[in-house]
DNA sequence: AAGGGAGCCAACCGCTTATTA
DNA sequence: TTAATAAGCGGTTGGCTCCCT
Protein backbone atom coordinates (compact mmCIF):
# COMPACT_ATOMS: atom_id res chain seq x y z
CA UNK A 1 0.00 0.00 0.00
CA UNK A 2 1.42 3.36 -1.00
CA UNK A 3 0.88 6.63 0.70
CA UNK A 4 -2.47 8.25 0.25
CA UNK A 5 -2.33 11.49 -1.73
CA UNK A 6 -2.17 14.71 0.27
CA UNK A 7 -5.20 16.03 -1.57
CA UNK A 8 -7.78 15.18 -4.18
CA UNK A 9 -5.80 15.72 -7.38
CA UNK A 10 -8.84 15.74 -9.64
CA UNK A 11 -10.26 18.95 -8.21
CA UNK A 12 -7.16 21.03 -7.67
CA UNK A 13 -5.54 23.73 -9.75
CA UNK A 14 -1.90 23.41 -10.68
CA UNK A 15 0.71 25.73 -12.09
CA UNK A 16 1.11 29.44 -11.62
CA UNK A 17 -0.98 31.17 -8.99
CA UNK A 18 -3.40 33.90 -9.99
CA UNK A 19 -3.69 37.25 -8.21
CA UNK A 20 -7.06 36.20 -6.87
CA UNK A 21 -5.67 33.00 -5.38
CA UNK A 22 -2.83 34.91 -3.78
CA UNK A 23 -5.27 37.38 -2.26
CA UNK A 24 -7.49 34.63 -0.92
CA UNK A 25 -4.59 32.79 0.65
CA UNK A 26 -3.08 35.93 2.14
CA UNK A 27 -6.41 37.09 3.53
CA UNK A 28 -7.12 33.71 5.05
CA UNK A 29 -3.73 33.39 6.73
CA UNK A 30 -3.88 36.96 8.01
CA UNK A 31 -7.27 36.22 9.53
CA UNK A 32 -6.60 32.72 10.88
CA UNK A 33 -2.85 32.30 10.95
CA UNK A 34 -0.85 29.39 9.61
CA UNK A 35 -2.66 26.30 10.74
CA UNK A 36 -3.47 22.97 9.19
CA UNK A 37 -2.34 23.18 5.57
CA UNK A 38 -4.40 20.19 4.60
CA UNK A 39 -7.69 21.80 5.52
CA UNK A 40 -6.69 25.34 4.60
CA UNK A 41 -7.54 25.27 0.87
CA UNK A 42 -11.13 24.26 1.51
CA UNK A 43 -11.53 26.76 4.33
CA UNK A 44 -10.03 29.53 2.23
CA UNK A 45 -12.05 28.61 -0.83
CA UNK A 46 -9.04 27.62 -2.89
CA UNK A 47 -8.88 24.80 -5.41
CA UNK A 48 -5.32 24.01 -4.44
CA UNK A 49 -3.45 21.29 -2.63
CA UNK A 50 -2.48 22.20 0.94
CA UNK A 51 1.12 21.56 0.10
CA UNK A 52 0.91 24.02 -2.77
CA UNK A 53 -0.64 26.65 -0.47
CA UNK A 54 2.12 26.19 2.06
CA UNK A 55 4.81 26.59 -0.58
CA UNK A 56 3.18 29.65 -2.10
CA UNK A 57 2.89 31.31 1.29
CA UNK A 58 6.40 30.44 2.47
CA UNK A 59 8.20 31.21 -0.77
CA UNK A 60 6.25 34.15 -2.10
CA UNK A 61 3.47 35.67 -0.02
CA UNK A 62 4.94 35.86 3.48
CA UNK A 63 5.17 39.54 4.43
CA UNK A 64 8.63 39.25 5.97
CA UNK A 65 10.28 38.18 2.72
CA UNK A 66 13.10 40.39 1.56
CA UNK A 67 13.10 39.68 -2.20
CA UNK A 68 15.45 41.49 -4.52
CA UNK A 69 19.13 40.87 -5.18
CA UNK A 70 21.41 39.15 -2.71
CA UNK A 71 24.06 41.37 -1.18
CA UNK A 72 27.76 40.52 -1.22
CA UNK A 73 27.53 39.79 2.53
CA UNK A 74 24.67 37.38 1.95
CA UNK A 75 26.66 35.67 -0.79
CA UNK A 76 29.61 35.10 1.50
CA UNK A 77 27.40 33.96 4.35
CA UNK A 78 25.69 31.42 2.09
CA UNK A 79 29.07 30.11 0.94
CA UNK A 80 30.27 29.81 4.54
CA UNK A 81 27.11 28.08 5.67
CA UNK A 82 27.10 25.76 2.68
CA UNK A 83 30.66 24.71 3.42
CA UNK A 84 29.53 23.79 6.93
CA UNK A 85 26.07 22.39 6.28
CA UNK A 86 26.04 21.23 2.68
CA UNK A 87 22.71 21.31 0.83
CA UNK A 88 20.70 21.92 3.99
CA UNK A 89 18.87 24.83 2.41
CA UNK A 90 16.33 25.27 5.15
CA UNK A 91 19.07 25.52 7.78
CA UNK A 92 20.94 28.01 5.64
CA UNK A 93 17.74 30.00 5.07
CA UNK A 94 17.22 30.06 8.82
CA UNK A 95 20.37 32.18 9.11
CA UNK A 96 19.34 34.62 6.39
CA UNK A 97 16.34 36.65 7.52
CA UNK A 98 13.82 37.26 4.77
CA UNK A 99 15.21 34.57 2.48
CA UNK A 100 13.61 31.22 1.75
CA UNK A 101 15.22 27.84 1.26
CA UNK A 102 13.90 27.68 -2.29
CA UNK A 103 15.29 31.11 -3.11
CA UNK A 104 18.71 30.25 -1.69
CA UNK A 105 18.74 26.90 -3.45
CA UNK A 106 17.94 28.56 -6.78
CA UNK A 107 20.46 31.32 -6.14
CA UNK A 108 23.12 28.79 -5.27
CA UNK A 109 22.53 26.77 -8.41
CA UNK A 110 22.41 29.76 -10.72
CA UNK A 111 24.92 32.24 -9.27
CA UNK A 112 27.11 31.05 -6.45
CA UNK A 113 28.10 27.76 -8.00
CA UNK A 114 29.41 29.60 -11.01
CA UNK A 115 31.05 32.23 -8.84
CA UNK A 116 32.96 29.57 -6.91
CA UNK A 117 33.92 27.74 -10.08
CA UNK A 118 35.33 30.96 -11.50
CA UNK A 119 37.41 31.31 -8.32
CA UNK A 120 38.70 27.79 -8.89
CA UNK A 121 36.75 26.39 -5.97
CA UNK A 122 34.73 23.21 -6.14
CA UNK A 123 31.20 24.22 -5.03
CA UNK A 124 30.57 20.79 -3.54
CA UNK A 125 33.71 20.36 -1.48
CA UNK A 126 34.71 24.04 -1.14
CA UNK A 127 38.26 23.08 -1.96
CA UNK A 128 40.43 24.11 -4.84
CA UNK A 129 39.44 22.29 -8.01
CA UNK A 130 43.05 21.23 -8.65
CA UNK A 131 43.77 20.26 -5.04
CA UNK A 132 44.41 16.60 -4.44
CA UNK A 133 42.00 14.89 -2.13
CA UNK A 134 43.47 13.21 0.92
CA UNK A 135 41.84 10.35 2.75
CA UNK A 136 40.07 11.05 5.99
CA UNK A 137 38.58 9.28 8.90
CA UNK A 138 35.68 10.77 10.80
CA UNK A 139 34.75 9.10 14.02
CA UNK A 140 31.78 10.25 16.00
CA UNK A 141 31.13 8.73 19.32
CA UNK A 142 28.88 9.40 22.28
CA UNK A 143 29.96 8.58 25.75
CA UNK A 144 26.75 9.45 27.48
CA UNK A 145 23.67 8.08 29.08
CA UNK A 146 20.15 9.35 28.61
CA UNK A 147 18.65 10.91 31.72
CA UNK A 148 14.95 10.39 31.19
CA UNK A 149 13.93 12.83 33.92
CA UNK A 150 16.04 15.70 32.79
CA UNK A 151 15.65 14.79 29.10
CA UNK A 152 19.34 15.24 28.52
CA UNK A 153 22.38 13.12 27.88
CA UNK A 154 24.83 12.92 30.73
CA UNK A 155 28.52 12.57 30.17
CA UNK A 156 30.94 10.28 31.97
CA UNK A 157 28.49 7.43 32.07
CA UNK A 158 28.39 4.29 29.98
CA UNK A 159 27.10 4.58 26.43
CA UNK A 160 23.45 3.69 26.18
CA UNK A 161 21.31 2.29 23.44
CA UNK A 162 19.71 5.70 22.86
CA UNK A 163 23.06 7.30 22.32
CA UNK A 164 23.91 4.52 19.92
CA UNK A 165 20.62 5.10 18.15
CA UNK A 166 21.56 8.69 17.51
CA UNK A 167 24.86 7.65 16.03
CA UNK A 168 22.91 5.32 13.79
CA UNK A 169 20.38 7.98 12.87
CA UNK A 170 23.16 10.28 11.78
CA UNK A 171 24.24 7.49 9.49
CA UNK A 172 27.78 8.01 10.49
CA UNK A 173 28.91 4.52 10.74
CA UNK A 174 27.55 2.59 13.72
CA UNK A 175 30.86 2.87 15.46
CA UNK A 176 32.91 2.37 12.34
CA UNK A 177 34.99 5.24 11.04
CA UNK A 178 33.47 6.91 8.02
CA UNK A 179 35.76 7.45 5.09
CA UNK A 180 35.35 10.84 3.56
CA UNK A 181 37.79 11.99 0.93
CA UNK A 182 37.03 15.66 1.34
CA UNK A 183 37.84 16.35 4.94
CA UNK A 184 40.94 16.07 7.00
CA UNK A 185 39.20 15.97 10.34
CA UNK A 186 38.70 13.53 13.08
CA UNK A 187 35.62 14.57 14.97
CA UNK A 188 34.34 13.53 18.32
CA UNK A 189 30.92 14.76 19.34
CA UNK A 190 30.03 14.59 22.98
CA UNK A 191 26.91 15.77 24.76
CA UNK A 192 26.53 19.27 26.15
CA UNK A 193 27.88 20.21 29.50
CA UNK A 194 26.26 23.48 30.57
CA UNK A 195 28.82 24.80 33.04
CA UNK A 196 31.81 23.82 31.00
CA UNK A 197 33.86 26.33 29.06
CA UNK A 198 34.20 25.78 25.32
CA UNK A 199 36.58 22.97 24.55
CA UNK A 200 39.85 23.78 22.89
CA UNK A 201 41.96 20.86 21.88
CA UNK A 202 45.46 21.12 20.62
CA UNK A 203 47.18 18.44 18.73
CA UNK A 204 50.22 18.47 16.53
CA UNK A 205 50.62 22.15 17.17
CA UNK A 206 47.24 23.11 15.78
CA UNK A 207 44.69 24.60 18.12
CA UNK A 208 41.04 24.51 17.20
CA UNK A 209 38.69 26.64 19.24
CA UNK A 210 35.19 25.34 18.75
CA UNK A 211 32.96 27.47 20.93
CA UNK A 212 30.95 28.06 17.78
CA UNK A 213 27.33 28.91 17.30
CA UNK A 214 26.15 29.45 13.73
CA UNK A 215 23.84 32.28 14.68
CA UNK A 216 26.33 34.19 16.77
CA UNK A 217 29.53 33.49 14.95
CA UNK A 218 28.31 33.83 11.41
CA UNK A 219 26.49 37.02 12.03
CA UNK A 220 22.91 35.92 11.45
CA UNK A 221 21.50 36.87 14.83
CA UNK A 222 23.02 39.07 17.51
CA UNK A 223 24.24 37.04 20.45
CA UNK A 224 21.81 36.86 23.29
CA UNK A 225 18.71 37.88 21.35
CA UNK A 226 16.97 35.17 19.36
CA UNK A 227 19.95 32.87 19.25
CA UNK A 228 19.16 29.30 20.18
CA UNK A 229 22.67 27.99 20.35
CA UNK A 230 21.58 24.66 21.77
CA UNK A 231 19.45 23.61 18.80
CA UNK A 232 22.48 22.66 16.81
CA UNK A 233 21.61 21.90 13.19
CA UNK A 234 18.00 21.50 14.16
CA UNK A 235 18.68 18.15 15.77
CA UNK A 236 15.87 17.57 18.16
CA UNK A 237 16.53 13.98 19.02
CA UNK A 238 19.20 15.04 21.45
CA UNK A 239 20.45 18.40 22.57
CA UNK A 240 23.73 18.59 20.76
CA UNK A 241 25.55 21.73 21.70
CA UNK A 242 28.10 22.76 19.12
CA UNK A 243 30.32 23.98 21.96
CA UNK A 244 30.82 20.38 22.91
CA UNK A 245 32.13 19.24 19.56
CA UNK A 246 35.74 18.36 19.98
CA UNK A 247 38.08 18.40 17.05
CA UNK A 248 41.49 16.89 17.08
C1' DA B 1 11.87 40.06 -37.14
C1' DA B 2 12.17 35.39 -35.93
C1' DG B 3 14.07 31.31 -34.04
C1' DG B 4 16.79 28.97 -30.74
C1' DG B 5 19.46 28.52 -26.64
C1' DA B 6 20.54 29.84 -21.93
C1' DG B 7 19.30 31.53 -17.57
C1' DC B 8 16.16 32.08 -14.00
C1' DC B 9 12.71 30.94 -10.72
C1' DA B 10 8.12 29.30 -9.19
C1' DA B 11 6.04 25.17 -8.48
C1' DC B 12 5.76 20.24 -8.29
C1' DC B 13 7.12 15.53 -6.84
C1' DG B 14 8.55 12.17 -3.91
C1' DC B 15 10.94 11.05 0.08
C1' DT B 16 11.87 11.60 5.14
C1' DT B 17 10.62 12.97 9.61
C1' DA B 18 7.40 14.16 13.21
C1' DT B 19 3.12 13.57 15.31
C1' DT B 20 -1.04 11.37 16.60
C1' DA B 21 -4.32 7.72 17.41
C1' DT C 1 4.49 -0.49 19.37
C1' DT C 2 2.65 0.29 15.06
C1' DA C 3 0.28 2.42 11.37
C1' DA C 4 -1.67 6.42 9.41
C1' DT C 5 -1.38 11.11 8.56
C1' DA C 6 0.60 15.75 8.19
C1' DA C 7 4.40 18.69 7.56
C1' DG C 8 8.89 19.69 5.93
C1' DC C 9 12.68 19.25 2.85
C1' DG C 10 15.61 18.86 -1.25
C1' DG C 11 15.86 17.62 -6.10
C1' DT C 12 13.81 18.35 -10.40
C1' DT C 13 10.92 20.29 -13.93
C1' DG C 14 8.51 23.46 -16.88
C1' DG C 15 7.56 27.81 -18.52
C1' DC C 16 8.77 32.51 -19.03
C1' DT C 17 12.16 36.07 -20.36
C1' DC C 18 16.20 37.69 -22.34
C1' DC C 19 19.91 37.65 -25.45
C1' DC C 20 22.34 36.29 -29.44
C1' DT C 21 22.58 35.00 -34.17
Amino acid sequence: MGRSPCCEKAHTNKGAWTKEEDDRLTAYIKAHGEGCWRSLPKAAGLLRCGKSCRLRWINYLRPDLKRGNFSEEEDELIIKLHSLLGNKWSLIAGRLPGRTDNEIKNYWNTHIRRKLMSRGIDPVTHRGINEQHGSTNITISFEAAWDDKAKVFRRDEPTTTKAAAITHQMEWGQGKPLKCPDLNLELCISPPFPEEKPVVKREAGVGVGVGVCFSCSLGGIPKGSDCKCSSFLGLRTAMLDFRSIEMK
Side-chain angles (χ1 to χ4, degrees), chain A residues 198-220:
Chain A
V199 178
V200 177
K201 266 206 167 179
R202 285 180 190 278
E203 210 162 272
V206 181
V208 187
V210 287
V212 177
C213 161
F214 288 124
S215 305
C216 310
S217 68
L218 293 173

Side-chain angles (χ1 to χ4, degrees), chain A residues 67-85:
Chain A
R67 314 202 68 80
N69 293 341
F70 282 75
S71 66
E72 196 58 38
E73 289 74 33
E74 284 177 310
D75 273 23
E76 293 306 319
L77 183 56
I78 291 168
I79 293 167
K80 261 189 202 172
L81 288 165
H82 187 272
S83 71
L84 288 164
L85 302 166

Side-chain angles (χ1 to χ4, degrees), chain A residues 136-140 170-173 175-181 185:
Chain A
T136 310
N137 288 346
I138 298 177
T139 309
I140 294 172
M170 292 171 89
E171 293 175 11
W172 282 354
K176 293 176 196 163
L178 174 74
K179 292 266 184 192
C180 172
L185 297 168

Side-chain angles (χ1 to χ4, degrees), chain A residues 22 76 127:
Chain A
D22 281 350
E76 293 306 319
R127 295 169 59 123

Side-chain angles (χ1 to χ4, degrees), chain A residues 122-148:
Chain A
D122 185 330
V124 179
T125 64
H126 293 265
R127 295 169 59 123
I129 286 166
N130 297 323
E131 263 182 72
Q132 279 203 327
H133 291 172
S135 72
T136 310
N137 288 346
I138 298 177
T139 309
I140 294 172
S141 61
F142 292 88
E143 291 177 22
W146 179 254
D147 182 334
D148 226 13

